[in-house]
Amino acid sequence: MPSNVTFILGGAASGKSAFAEQLCVNTGKDKVYWATAQIFDSEMREKVSRHLEQRGAGWATIEEPETAAHVLAPLSPGQVCLMDCATMWLTNHLLAEHDLEAAQAELLSAIDHCKADLVIVSNETGLGIVPENKLARRFREAQGRLNIALAARADTVVQVTAGLPLVLKGAL
């Protein structure tokens, strides 16, 4: 088991990434940033640039859109890894038409065997209306199942809304 798993959940642009980054900085451990996003357009390129600027120096960055074990297996107890974010990771698998249950099982296994502290960021997608198309409904359901599984594994779960953290499980 990892030393500590913290799961940060919130809506889009809620401040969850900035909060998660600060948690990592506060550990005093060597910081690893697991970037799951893929850049397909200028809007995403700008978002990634904003995140890089916000994060600042002192982070080792691993860009891996799908395979958790490649990122988590080599980590050590002296490190903290920020996965930003589980939503993009799931989207990558969904769009690649992978078996989502198998991908989720691989992610959870990699988390279980990781020796570093983990901070995992994810979007809460179940608070809005029911999407009007099948792909969006499939994504929302898969994201809900993934969030439930990640929250169950986490020592601490925090909901961030309007930049304000609310601890749902554990303690900060």
Side-chain angles (χ1 to χ4, degrees), residues 5-70:
V5 177
T6 302
F7 182 50
I8 310 296
L9 193 60
S14 64
K16 61 191 176 297
S17 290
F19 179 77
E21 290 163 5
Q22 191 58 53
L23 284 180
C24 292
V25 168
N26 292 348
T27 68
K29 294 185 175 192
D30 293 337
K31 300 176 299 297
V32 176
Y33 185 87
W34 175 11
T36 61
Q38 297 182 79
I39 300 173
F40 294 118
D41 58 34
S42 61
E43 180 184 356
M44 184 56 93
R45 185 172 290 104
E46 288 174 26
K47 182 176 181 170
V48 168
S49 292
R50 283 192 310 272
H51 273 260
L52 280 167
E53 184 177 322
Q54 172 185 297
R55 199 163 55 248
W59 292 79
T61 300
I62 301 171
E63 296 177 4
E64 174 51 60
E66 297 175 357
T67 309
H70 290 166

Side-chain angles (χ1 to χ4, degrees), residues 36-168:
T36 61
Q38 297 182 79
I39 300 173
F40 294 118
D41 58 34
S42 61
E43 180 184 356
M44 184 56 93
R45 185 172 290 104
E46 288 174 26
K47 182 176 181 170
V48 168
S49 292
R50 283 192 310 272
H51 273 260
L52 280 167
E53 184 177 322
Q54 172 185 297
R55 199 163 55 248
W59 292 79
T61 300
I62 301 171
E63 296 177 4
E64 174 51 60
E66 297 175 357
T67 309
H70 290 166
V71 178
L72 301 181
L75 299 179
S76 70
Q79 295 176 298
V80 59
C81 179
L82 171 54
M83 178 191 190
D84 199 358
C85 74
T87 304
M88 292 304 300
W89 174 89
L90 178 66
T91 299
N92 298 335
H93 284 284
L94 181 71
L95 295 178
E97 298 182 6
H98 294 158
D99 178 332
L100 298 183
E101 286 183 33
Q104 180 173 311
E106 185 268 336
L107 172 64
L108 296 175
S109 177
I111 290 169
D112 288 345
H113 293 93
C114 182
K115 294 180 180 95
D117 287 350
L118 298 174
V119 177
I120 302 169
V121 172
S122 189
N123 284 16
E124 174 54 69
T125 59
L127 297 175
I129 61 171
V130 175
E132 47 81 32
N133 70 74
K134 184 177 179 178
L135 178 62
R137 287 189 302 272
R138 182 173 177 228
F139 168 75
R140 185 188 65 166
E141 292 300 315
Q143 185 67 63
R145 286 190 302 276
L146 177 60
N147 287 346
I148 289 168
L150 291 170
R153 285 224 172 19
D155 301 291
T156 305
V157 178
V158 180
Q159 173 81 37
V160 177
T161 303
L164 301 172
L166 175 63
V167 177
L168 302 176

